[in-house]
Amino acid sequence: MSVARFLTRTAGNRETAQRFGLQDVLAYGYLVLGVLMILVPVLWTLFSSVKSETAVDSFDTRLLPLAQVTAEIEGEGKKPLWVLAEDGEERLVFKAGPTRKITEVSPLDDPDTVLEVPREQLSPHEELRIATENYLDPILKRNGQTTFDFFTYLWNSVFVTVAATLITLLINAMAAFALSKYRFRGRLTFTILIVATLLIPPSIILVSLFFVVWSFGIFGSLWGVIIPAAATPTGVFLLRQYMLTIPDELLEAARMDAASEWLIFWRIVMPLSLPALSVLAILSVIWRWNDFLWPLIVLISDPTKHTLQLGLTQFAGEFNSDFHYILAMTVVTLIPITLVFVWLQRFITTGIATTGLK
């Protein structure tokens, strides 16, 4: 099936499938609206990240990265250039004084001459320029960006995300295996209690988690970020519903062959639960990679343990913020999570669609 035919499919039987109806209009309208709501902020961040610092600070809403041209003026240093429109002609000038209703400017080819022109006749002389320094300065520690240790923050983020995801998959899979394949009193009650914890806002248990982390001596450590969020009710529920679809006969046959419960879990249940594990893996990666509040509480005392999300706060000061660096590094932090999603996305539909089916 071609892409064009897939994107123009309609609902109905064979007699009415070739005509667009109200149901098709509403369906495609809903899908287009959802795509725009998701992609527009991401695209705005991407295009703004390659704009110059002046354009970002002035909230330039134009799509293209246009930057005002500067020129080295003898005795004046670098000056931004302006286009003076007068009598149908345009001249390149630079401002010789402050911007007023009548502004003093000097022509670029005759810097010693000072002209007084209305402010409305001046427009910035711009060119299309991609501001690669927004990316290179923080990464290579140029132009005074020595406190932003990109590779240290990247390693911390990768370590926290990978370790937390692996531990989450293991703990949630073991809990789901017990709640789905073992018969014991209170099994349904435990399942309901685990799912009910989703109703508790995370901010309510922050103080309790803080004291637990402090008591175990992992405050200020990356393990203090990894361990408290290892078990998630969403993961337990998702994997339990999927494991219910695995026939019990497979497990009984393995037990008859003298397989231990641990061997059954690793060799039968885990491989058959791969689609659901992939869904939980990508959800866990997104949660851990984008987590900000809990790492801020645990790692605030040691900047060398900061993740990328915490590192971005270095560009935001009390009186001044480097938004061009924030936008560029935000785009960089989106790249790993996007690659993981592209790699695992083929399992997402399968895992969600088959969860809960018997």
Side-chain angles (χ1 to χ4, degrees), residues 82-95:
W82 299 79
V83 177
L84 173 61
E86 191 177 26
D87 299 330
E89 297 183 355
E90 294 184 348
R91 302 177 62 185
L92 291 180
V93 299
F94 63 91
K95 292 182 179 180

Side-chain angles (χ1 to χ4, degrees), residues 50-324:
V50 294
K51 293 181 180 179
S52 64
E53 179 181 1
T54 304
V56 173
D57 291 341
S58 61
F59 298 99
D60 187 358
T61 57
R62 293 174 296 181
L63 186 63
L64 297 177
L66 298 174
Q68 189 170 7
V69 180
T70 59
E72 188 73 28
I73 308 300
E74 185 177 356
E76 298 285 344
K78 277 192 174 183
K79 287 280 191 176
L81 299 183
W82 299 79
V83 177
L84 173 61
E86 191 177 26
D87 299 330
E89 297 183 355
E90 294 184 348
R91 302 177 62 185
L92 291 180
V93 299
F94 63 91
K95 292 182 179 180
T99 302
R100 299 189 178 96
K101 188 173 183 180
I102 301 299
T103 304
E104 294 181 347
V105 299
S106 297
L108 183 62
D109 52 2
D110 188 8
D112 297 329
T113 303
V114 178
L115 305 176
E116 294 184 346
V117 298
R119 181 177 55 189
E120 293 76 11
Q121 293 184 0
L122 296 175
S123 60
H125 178 48
E126 298 176 320
E127 64 177 359
L128 185 65
R129 187 178 73 86
I130 296 178
T132 56
E133 63 272 11
N134 294 348
Y135 291 86
L136 298 180
D137 287 353
I139 295 177
L140 302 180
K141 297 183 179 182
R142 304 186 316 189
N143 293 336
Q145 303 303 317
T146 56
T147 59
F148 185 81
D149 196 342
F150 172 77
F151 294 102
T152 298
Y153 301 152
L154 178 62
W155 163 251
N156 293 338
S157 294
V158 171
F159 177 76
V160 168
T161 301
V162 173
T165 299
L166 293 177
I167 296 175
T168 297
L169 292 177
L170 179 61
I171 293 179
N172 289 352
M174 290 191 296
F177 176 60
L179 292 173
S180 61
K181 294 305 178 184
Y182 290 157
R183 301 290 186 266
F184 57 90
R185 180 175 297 181
R187 184 181 68 163
L188 182 59
T189 303
F190 281 116
T191 303
I192 295 175
L193 289 176
I194 291 174
V195 176
T197 58
L198 291 172
L199 301 176
I200 303 176
S203 56
I204 292 180
I205 62 175
L206 283 180
V207 176
S208 302
L209 282 178
F210 172 80
F211 282 112
V212 171
V213 170
W214 183 273
S215 301
F216 278 88
I218 55 177
F219 181 80
S221 169
L222 293 178
W223 291 106
V225 179
I226 296 170
I227 295 177
T232 60
T234 304
V236 173
F237 176 75
L238 179 68
L239 293 178
R240 176 187 179 274
Q241 295 302 109
Y242 191 90
M243 289 179 183
L244 287 174
T245 65
I246 300 176
D248 294 337
E249 290 77 8
L250 291 177
L251 279 63
E252 295 297 335
R255 292 188 180 102
M256 293 178 63
D257 290 335
S260 64
E261 297 299 313
W262 188 252
L263 185 62
I264 293 174
F265 174 74
W266 275 112
R267 300 294 296 272
I268 298 178
V269 176
M270 291 293 281
L272 293 177
S273 303
L274 184 59
L277 289 171
S278 301
V279 175
L280 180 58
I282 193 171
L283 291 177
S284 179
V285 168
I286 294 174
W287 294 335
R288 310 300 172 233
W289 187 266
N290 294 329
D291 196 8
F292 175 79
L293 181 58
W294 182 243
L296 177 64
I297 295 174
V298 177
L299 305 175
I300 190 172
S301 60
D302 189 356
T304 61
K305 300 293 179 60
H306 284 183
T307 60
L308 278 174
Q309 311 304 330
L310 296 182
L312 292 178
T313 60
Q314 296 188 20
F315 299 123
E318 184 178 0
F319 303 105
N320 185 35
S321 297
D322 297 324
F323 290 109
H324 56 300

